[in-house]
Amino acid sequence: MAELYSYDNDWDEKYLSKTLLKSEYKYDFIADEVCNGAFLFPLFSQDFCEELVLDLESFDGWTENRHDNYPTNDVLLKDFNKPLFDIYECILKNILIPATNKLYSIHIKPKEVKEETFIIRYKPSNQSMLDLHHDSSLFTCGIQLSSDLNYIGGDLYMPQHKLSLKAEQGKVLIHPGRLTHKHGVRPVISGEKYSLISFCKYG
C-alpha cells in the first residue's frame, strides 16, 4: 500500500490507466462524449482504485456537513492522505487540465486553477444518494473508484441530458459545473460506492 502514496519512476505504469499511457495522452481519441459537453475517459488503473478503496473502507474520519446546501459524507483528499494529494495535484495539472483544454477547445492555465478535491462515500446507512444540484465549479472531474460489482444503484443522473451513468472503475468524467449539467446520484441500495471529486475554479 505504501507504494500508492509515494511517487517513483514506476508509479505511472502501475497506477495510471494502460489505455491512457498507450494512447500517449491523446484525450480526444480515448474520451467518449457520454452526453453533450460531458466526457469520460480512463485515468487510473484497477490497482490504484482497489488499493485506495481498501484503505477507505477502514477510514473513520468522514465529514457530513462541509457543504451547506448539499452536504456529503466525504473527506478532503489532503486530509485523508497528504502525499496522495500531492501526487494527485500533479495529475490534475499535467493530465486533467490539459485534457479539459483539449476536449473543450479552451486554454486554461494550470497555475490559475483552484481546486477542492475530496473523496465521497455512498452507502445505504449513511448518505445513499445526492439530490440534483449544480457544482460550485467551472468544471468538475469525477473519478469512479469502486467496482460496479461492489454496489447496487448509485448511478449518476443528469436529467437535462437524459443520462444515467454507472462509470467503469478508474474512469474520470469531466463536465461543466455551474450552469448546464445539473446532476445527482441515485440511491445506493447495497454495498458502498467511493468517488474522487475535484471542483475546479479558474482565476
Side-chain angles (χ1 to χ4, degrees):
M1 293 294 183
E3 295 178 6
L4 179 63
Y5 306 121
S6 178
Y7 189 84
D8 60 23
N9 292 335
D10 298 325
W11 198 97
D12 288 4
E13 187 64 28
K14 183 173 183 181
Y15 292 122
L16 292 180
S17 161
K18 293 291 191 293
T19 299
L20 179 67
L21 296 174
K22 292 292 186 183
S23 76
E24 298 180 344
Y25 305 93
K26 292 182 174 66
Y27 307 109
D28 53 347
F29 181 60
I30 62 172
D32 294 314
E33 190 170 12
V34 294
C35 68
N36 186 33
F39 297 91
L40 184 73
F41 66 88
L43 177 63
F44 288 125
S45 69
Q46 183 181 10
D47 284 344
F48 176 93
C49 296
E50 294 293 343
E51 290 181 24
L52 181 52
V53 166
L54 188 61
D55 282 351
L56 290 169
E57 288 174 341
S58 61
F59 179 68
D60 62 1
W62 300 97
T63 69
E64 295 185 353
N65 56 5
R66 283 195 318 105
H67 299 115
D68 292 334
N69 294 326
Y70 296 92
T72 52
N73 189 209
D74 65 22
V75 61
L76 289 169
L77 184 59
K78 63 184 179 181
D79 292 339
F80 170 72
N81 188 284
K82 183 59 166 60
L84 182 60
F85 172 75
D86 292 339
I87 294 170
Y88 180 80
E89 272 208 315
C90 292
I91 290 170
L92 185 67
K93 292 176 180 177
N94 295 312
I95 296 178
L96 293 175
I97 294 173
T100 302
N101 283 334
K102 182 68 175 179
L103 295 170
Y104 292 93
S105 299
I106 55 179
H107 301 285
I108 293 173
K109 297 177 181 178
K111 65 181 180 180
E112 296 183 13
V113 171
K114 297 177 181 177
E115 53 76 29
E116 177 190 348
T117 298
F118 55 97
I119 298 169
I120 184 170
R121 177 182 66 174
Y122 299 94
K123 63 178 186 176
S125 63
N126 191 346
Q127 191 185 351
S128 66
M129 58 176 280
L130 186 60
D131 287 336
L132 293 172
H133 65 284
H134 289 290
D135 291 339
S136 179
S137 66
L138 174 63
F139 65 93
T140 296
C141 301
I143 301 157
Q144 177 63 22
L145 298 176
S146 298
S147 166
D148 61 9
L149 299 176
N150 293 333
Y151 66 97
I152 296 174
D155 294 36
L156 177 74
Y157 179 49
M158 291 184 175
Q160 294 165 302
H161 299 275
K162 298 180 173 61
L163 176 70
S164 181
L165 176 69
K166 181 171 282 189
E168 294 177 26
Q169 187 178 44
K171 288 194 173 183
V172 56
L173 180 70
I174 301 177
H175 64 83
R178 290 184 181 277
L179 296 176
T180 58
H181 287 69
K182 192 174 190 177
H183 61 282
V185 176
R186 287 171 165 166
V188 169
I189 303 303
S190 67
E192 296 184 4
K193 174 185 176 181
Y194 297 91
S195 301
L196 177 62
I197 309 294
S198 287
F199 290 164
C200 297
K201 302 176 182 180
Y202 187 54

